Amino acid sequence: MVIVPWNSSIPAASASSSSLPVICEVVFVLGAPGTGKGTQCQLLQERLLSKEDGSEQHQLWTHLSAGDLLREERKSGGSELGELINSKISAGELVPSSITVKLLENAIIKSNQETHCSKFLIDGFPRGQENMQAWESTMKHHTIKFVLNFECPEEVLVGRLLERGKDSGRVDDNMEVIRKRFKTHQENTVPILTYFGKQHIPLHTIDSAKMVEHVYNSVEPLFL
Ligand code: UDP
Ligand code: MG
């Protein structure tokens, strides 16, 4: 077992401590790297709108990418924390769960305060049993509506990720780390899919090898 020499120093979001915890509905969006989690979550956030007559329409679901939150924290966090996140991402391994869950918790609180939206698409999390346990220890009051799981042949994913790597600027979009990310996904994320069933959390597996709009047409009805 790897013991990570790090103590949680991510401050809590600036919610007043006397306020009750906001109860949200979440959808976990999973799938190997390159399956289109972020792309589909963006479209859902943009296109699923309230239908109130007269007043301004607003988004029903907010997209939160665990990977994006970690990359942001790497930039703005203290050097020790930033280095730890960077070393894990660069190795295609998982960042300690306490860090990721704290960032998600802060992002949910902040976003809810700003937009009053209480439905979240959690993209790229939980990636393993330990992630799930960490979520359950502090975030169990939120309802997990269902889990979306994207599947796509590995050769298609490699093509997408190498294409993205040309201008993504990401340290992990290269062949060596892509292989490690696939391995981490197989070993850590795939096994927890059966856990959701045991918890009576619906799991929707979607074939995401097709064109973006085609995939979107399979995903959107799950939210209507
Ligand atoms: N990561 C992590 N825990 C998470 C989400 C991401 O440790 O809950 C790390 C992990 O190293 C992963 C990287 O961040 O390989 C990039 O994640 P992202 O979701 O951005 O990649 P994608 O799957 O979308 O290509
Ligand atoms: Mg992504």
Side-chain angles (χ1 to χ4, degrees):
M1 194 177 106
V2 179
I3 297 176
V4 179
W6 184 80
N7 297 316
S8 177
S9 63
I10 300 171
S14 56
S16 107
S17 53
S18 59
S19 61
L20 290 168
V22 50
I23 303 200
C24 299
E25 217 176 324
V26 305
V27 168
F28 290 143
V29 184
L30 300 177
T35 43
K37 304 179 292 289
T39 303
Q40 294 296 327
C41 286
Q42 268 311 110
L43 290 177
L44 290 163
Q45 176 176 278
E46 279 163 31
R47 295 182 183 178
L48 296 177
L49 300 171
S50 64
K51 292 198 185 78
E52 290 155 28
D53 291 330
S55 63
E56 214 182 302
Q57 286 196 323
H58 55 85
Q59 73 191 42
L60 292 175
W61 288 85
T62 299
H63 172 207
L64 290 180
S65 155
D68 286 349
L69 291 170
L70 288 167
R71 282 183 286 273
E72 254 167 56
E73 184 63 29
R74 179 181 57 181
K75 272 190 263 157
S76 62
S79 62
E80 209 184 317
L81 176 57
E83 271 170 37
L84 172 59
I85 294 173
N86 201 33
S87 70
K88 293 295 176 187
I89 290 181
S90 310
E93 294 169 2
L94 299 183
V95 173
S97 303
S98 56
I99 299 175
T100 315
V101 170
K102 191 76 214 162
L103 292 174
L104 283 169
E105 186 178 7
N106 286 352
I108 286 173
I109 293 170
K110 184 165 178 272
S111 171
N112 176 262
Q113 284 173 345
E114 286 168 6
T115 65
H116 302 291
C117 178
S118 59
K119 292 174 193 269
F120 291 92
L121 301 162
I122 312 278
D123 158 10
F125 179 93
R127 276 172 135 91
Q129 194 60 46
E130 215 195 288
N131 271 180
M132 194 58 206
Q133 278 164 3
W135 173 274
E136 286 172 343
S137 72
T138 53
M139 310 280 268
K140 216 174 164 55
H141 51 287
H142 301 307
T143 306
I144 304 167
K145 189 179 163 72
F146 58 83
V147 177
L148 252 181
N149 175 46
F150 290 117
E151 279 187 353
C152 182
E154 221 166 91
E155 60 272 19
V156 177
L157 298 178
V158 169
R160 289 180 184 176
L161 291 166
L162 291 178
E163 189 56 35
R164 182 174 84 180
K166 288 179 187 167
D167 54 21
S168 69
R170 278 177 55 164
V171 291
D172 57 350
D173 280 343
N174 59 73
M175 207 52 237
E176 194 194 339
V177 187
I178 288 169
R179 288 272 164 242
K180 290 182 183 163
R181 289 157 71 197
F182 285 155
K183 187 164 179 279
T184 300
H185 178 259
Q186 266 309 322
E187 290 176 358
N188 294 273
T189 316
V190 172
I192 57 161
L193 297 176
T194 52
Y195 173 80
F196 298 121
K198 288 184 198 141
Q199 298 296 308
H200 307 291
I201 300 167
L203 172 70
H204 299 284
T205 293
I206 304 280
D207 171 9
S208 68
K210 305 193 184 82
M211 303 291 283
V212 170
E213 289 300 332
H214 201 114
V215 177
Y216 184 78
N217 288 337
S218 311
V219 173
E220 195 193 61
L222 299 170
F223 290 84
L224 302 177

